Amino acid sequence: MRADRVFAYGATAGLIGDRILGDPRRGHPVAAFGRAAAAVERSLWRDDRARGLLHTLVCAGGAAAVGALGARAVRSRPAAARIALTAAATWAVVGGTSLGREARAIGGALAAGDIEVARERLPHLCGRDPQALDGQQMARAVVESVAENTSDAVVGALVWGAVAGVPGLLAFRAVNTLDAMVGHRSPRYLRYGWASARLDDLAGWPGARLTAAAAVLAGPDRRGAVRAWRADAAAHPSPNAGPVEASFAGALGVRLGGTLAYGGRIEHRAVLNGGAGRPVRVADIERAVRLSRQVTWLTLGACVAARTLVARVRGGRA
């Protein structure tokens, strides 16, 4: 069976597995990678970029190598084994179902007026300081996190899976996880995490644009999504979160961005879709989750179609 078909069947099965099972409560492969990366950090950490670059190469390269060894091990086996490996890798690296569950749990608490429960659950989804947020601000934070993590936890992985198979799936999630661990601008990681942050920006670039484009196609306000993407994406401090959050804001007809609090640090970001959007409501959390799922399946279709087209062009030239 051709590699493009293996990817199509395997990635579809992996997404269905994520939809049915979600993330395991114990023994998640990404959590195991995180523990390994933390151990590498304890051995390598120095306040300089060179050590941080080595940390990134060891951890991301190790994940890619594991994927390459797995792919090699099933290369001569029946197609079912290669599909199963792709499905398992896809399920392990995507997190769309858990993203939706956490967002809905916070939305449910906010709808019930239980602000404290919502504050307890918010750190499961994003790094905001929940004590500094009221109900409306938490709803906005959830919608922003759903948008950004649709790209980081689902679309980006599928893009690199289409490009490089199982090694691409594992390497992308490794890079994304490293950015979350050491890529933020704290005193400890300003230099050490530089390489991880820049590699995450590079690896996430195509997935972020595909996420934004899919949000335009799937969202209830296509013109609004395009307008917000074009007008406001560049004002966001992240080159990848900007297009994603702006397109979601325009598609949903809401305002995102503004003042944020991270661990006692206050950031004043540009407002996305400020001219046409309204403040986020609790009900918009469900709308964002539905849009995220639609974006996921559109992305799968686009990745499968692109990989199939490339395979046919190469076959025609052979």
Side-chain angles (χ1 to χ4, degrees):
M1 182 180 290
R2 288 188 338 212
D4 58 309
R5 294 180 180 175
V6 169
F7 171 77
Y9 297 145
T12 301
L15 284 181
I16 292 172
D18 176 67
R19 181 73 179 87
I20 296 172
L21 302 173
D23 293 334
R25 295 185 180 275
R26 296 181 180 178
H28 196 293
V30 175
F33 171 82
R35 290 191 294 271
V40 173
E41 179 189 343
R42 288 192 294 271
S43 298
L44 292 179
W45 189 89
R46 296 289 186 278
D47 189 19
D48 65 67
R49 290 184 175 183
R51 286 296 189 105
L53 175 60
L54 180 59
H55 175 244
T56 302
L57 293 175
V58 168
C59 295
V66 168
L69 289 173
R72 183 175 181 180
V74 299
R75 184 178 301 166
S76 60
R77 292 180 177 273
R82 288 177 281 147
I83 292 170
L85 178 64
T86 302
T90 301
W91 169 80
V93 303
V94 301
T97 294
S98 293
L99 173 64
R101 286 175 181 171
E102 289 297 336
R104 282 173 167 154
I106 298 169
L110 290 174
D114 201 335
I115 299 297
E116 291 308 314
V117 170
R119 284 178 175 149
E120 289 177 5
R121 297 200 67 96
L122 187 64
H124 298 180
L125 191 64
C126 64
R128 310 281 175 86
D129 181 2
Q131 300 305 318
L133 304 178
D134 60 22
Q136 191 279 325
Q137 291 169 327
M138 279 192 281
R140 191 193 79 197
V142 171
V143 171
E144 289 170 353
S145 296
V146 168
E148 184 175 3
N149 284 297
T150 299
S151 177
D152 288 345
V154 183
V155 175
L158 291 175
V159 167
W160 284 102
V163 170
V166 171
L169 287 164
L170 300 189
F172 175 82
R173 191 57 193 269
V175 169
N176 187 249
T177 303
L178 288 174
D179 179 61
M181 294 177 68
V182 304
H184 42 88
R185 297 192 175 192
S186 66
R188 177 179 175 85
Y189 296 123
L190 185 61
R191 295 183 180 87
Y192 187 83
W194 179 86
S196 291
R198 297 291 78 76
L199 182 58
D200 182 68
D201 287 344
L202 181 63
W205 195 95
R209 275 75 194 166
L210 182 55
T211 303
V216 170
L217 294 176
D221 186 351
R222 293 183 178 181
R223 291 183 179 179
V226 172
R227 182 178 60 248
W229 182 2
R230 294 179 62 182
D232 300 330
H236 197 287
S238 168
N240 294 331
V244 173
E245 291 186 20
S247 63
F248 264 66
L252 298 172
V254 300
R255 293 197 300 266
L256 300 179
T259 302
L260 299 85
Y262 287 95
R265 177 170 51 90
I266 303 297
E267 291 187 15
H268 299 284
R269 295 183 179 177
V271 175
L272 308 178
N273 198 37
R278 55 168 173 77
V280 174
R281 301 167 184 158
V282 174
D284 293 317
I285 293 175
E286 178 62 29
R287 297 174 67 223
V289 171
R290 289 199 302 265
L291 180 56
S292 174
R293 285 186 175 172
Q294 291 169 329
V295 166
T296 295
W297 294 110
L298 278 176
T299 297
L300 177 64
C303 289
V304 168
R307 182 146 185 171
T308 300
L309 178 61
V310 169
R312 289 180 177 177
V313 169
R314 287 177 176 175
R317 291 176 178 174

